[in-house]
Amino acid sequence: MELNGLKVAVVGATGAVGNLMVKVLEERAFPVSRLTLLASARSIGKTLGFHGSEIAVEELVEDSFEGIQLALFSAGGGISKKFAPIAARAGAVVIDNSNAWRMDPKVPLVVPEVNPDAALSHSGIIANPNCSTIQMVVALKPIYDAVGIRRIVVTTFQAVSGTGKRAIEELRAQVLDVMQGREAVRQIYPHQIAFNCFPHIGPFLENGFSEEEMKMVNETRKVFEDAKIRICATTVRIPVIYGHSESINIETEKPVSPEEVRRLLDAAPGVRVIDDLSNAGYPVPLSAAGTDDTLVGRIRIDPSVENGLAMWVVADNIRKGAATNAVQIAELLLSRGRL
Ligand code: A2P
């Protein structure tokens, strides 16, 4: 590490996640000696604030990574596929938020609270899991370690910010359209998202699941290093801007009580238990938005199976689900002397 910090690039800096990556680097006082902001040619002329100065956005090109030591990518899978290897060859460690590299056996898929050591085996690129996977594995890892988990059934309620900035604009515009008696204009989603929801995130695959659902299955197996864990996911888009919610049912290897699970989760890094039914105390997206914790509540026995547990897990999908997780991976590498 250089004395005054690292030369860092954020690719997709003008997007919902990229923008937040810049903010999170600042909030967490990540040591940055020079910040390069990269986006498409459309963004030339824009600036973003960082520690009190305005930094101009530059067009992403093959030469963008000269001298860069750390590159955080969030500009979509196509950009990551092409430019992450270019950045890595130029000497940067890439932390990629897209889907492009997650299942590559040579690329570690890392959630610092869950599998920090995996990050150390990288060869230039480290992947951030999908947002809905991150909050699920953060909440389940302490239970997995204590009593084992055989099976997970999860239904998600996902915010539009996961789709990007234009989807946030689409929801806002549709709400106005409907409230003012106009027909809602659809551009991004297959259905109107305002006052609606649909079980369709990413394209559908031959097995009848959506791509998002299979990401949750495959990425959880990779992060837990457990190819046998059985998982069934249903992923649903809902008209919320920030914060994914998940209804999770698990079957553990050994029995465990809700009280013990609360104790395990209370002691776990990055987790906050909110489980006080008498005061409507359970996590909601509006209380998760803007925070980095994974919130867990409604912890109860699932009586429909042996060793069954049910719970409700909420996190800010673009913070812990994306930007914060990426910066935490960088912090982990720094603390282990690997950056
Ligand atoms: P731009 O704003 O210039 O289009 P989101 O996920 O919120 O939609 O953001 C996507 C991010 O990826 C934006 O920063 C966007 O930049 C960037 N991006 C999209 N296409 C390209 C491209 N061809 N080259 C570089 N950056 C891109």
Side-chain angles (χ1 to χ4, degrees):
M1 188 194 125
E2 286 186 10
L3 208 55
N4 298 321
L6 301 170
K7 297 189 181 73
V8 178
V10 174
V11 180
T14 52
V17 172
N19 215 305
L20 193 60
M21 284 169 160
V22 174
K23 208 168 141 199
V24 171
L25 286 169
E26 179 176 309
E27 274 173 20
R28 299 175 74 95
F30 189 87
V32 177
S33 62
R34 193 186 78 205
L35 183 64
T36 303
L37 304 177
L38 300 166
S40 78
R42 293 180 291 273
S43 292
I44 290 177
K46 287 190 186 161
T47 62
L48 292 180
F50 185 65
H51 287 302
S53 50
E54 286 296 314
I55 301 179
V57 177
E58 299 169 34
E59 182 183 0
L60 170 67
V61 291
E62 299 203 2
D63 294 336
S64 295
F65 300 97
E66 242 182 69
I68 298 293
Q69 294 161 288
L70 171 68
L72 305 179
F73 272 66
S74 193
I79 296 292
S80 291
K81 198 93 211 161
K82 175 170 176 198
F83 286 94
I86 293 174
R89 270 198 300 278
V93 174
V94 172
I95 301 175
D96 180 34
N97 189 54
S98 82
N99 188 32
W101 299 97
R102 289 179 188 149
M103 296 313 295
D104 186 312
K106 292 186 295 298
V107 173
L109 185 65
V110 178
V111 181
E113 295 90 336
V114 178
N115 61 340
D117 294 343
L120 307 180
S121 66
H122 76 84
S123 34
I125 304 175
I126 297 174
N128 235 11
N130 178 261
C131 42
S132 34
T133 306
I134 291 179
Q135 68 185 71
M136 182 167 85
V137 296
V138 168
L140 294 186
K141 173 69 170 171
I143 308 170
Y144 185 90
D145 286 346
V147 290
I149 297 177
R150 263 198 269 263
R151 175 168 180 252
I152 304 169
V153 178
V154 55
T155 303
T156 68
F157 305 77
Q158 298 187 215
V160 297
S161 52
T163 314
K165 226 162 142 173
R166 289 179 59 224
I168 299 175
E169 285 156 16
E170 177 153 312
L171 171 58
R172 288 199 169 119
Q174 287 185 355
V175 168
L176 274 184
D177 284 342
V178 173
M179 295 309 287
Q180 294 173 354
R182 292 187 300 268
E183 195 173 324
V185 179
R186 250 186 334 99
Q187 279 176 325
I188 308 266
Y189 288 126
H191 297 277
Q192 178 182 317
I193 183 64
F195 307 100
N196 201 11
C197 69
F198 37 85
H200 184 176
I201 302 188
F204 286 116
L205 308 174
E206 271 186 10
N207 64 3
F209 285 91
S210 70
E211 203 173 83
E212 185 85 350
E213 289 160 353
M214 291 316 296
K215 283 180 192 173
M216 292 191 79
V217 174
N218 296 325
E219 294 177 16
T220 300
R221 287 180 171 158
K222 181 166 174 175
V223 172
F224 279 171
E225 292 178 39
D226 180 348
K228 290 208 293 286
I229 188 165
R230 285 175 285 149
I231 307 170
C232 181
T234 304
T235 56
V236 181
R237 186 72 66 190
I238 62 166
V240 156
I241 295 184
Y242 298 110
H244 288 356
S245 305
E246 299 181 348
S247 164
I248 302 178
N249 291 63
I250 59 173
E251 239 179 285
T252 56
E253 302 273 356
K254 295 188 211 134
V256 64
S257 68
E259 294 70 37
E260 180 59 15
V261 168
R262 277 184 211 106
R263 265 195 300 279
L264 287 169
L265 294 179
D266 264 332
V271 179
R272 188 146 53 91
V273 176
I274 304 177
D275 205 359
D276 176 11
L277 301 186
S278 57
N279 293 307
Y282 41 77
V284 295
L286 285 180
S287 45
T291 80
D292 291 321
D293 288 333
T294 295
L295 312 180
V296 187
R298 301 289 322 278
I299 300 165
R300 61 208 192 275
I301 296 282
D302 170 358
S304 67
V305 287
E306 200 184 345
N307 296 346
L309 271 177
M311 67 192 76
W312 177 251
V313 176
V314 183
D316 185 321
N317 55 299
I318 63 167
R319 289 186 78 98
K320 183 55 192 167
T324 304
N325 198 70
V327 175
Q328 285 172 327
I329 294 172
E331 289 172 345
L332 166 71
L333 294 175
L334 257 187
S335 72
R336 306 271 184 108
R338 303 297 288 271
L339 250 183

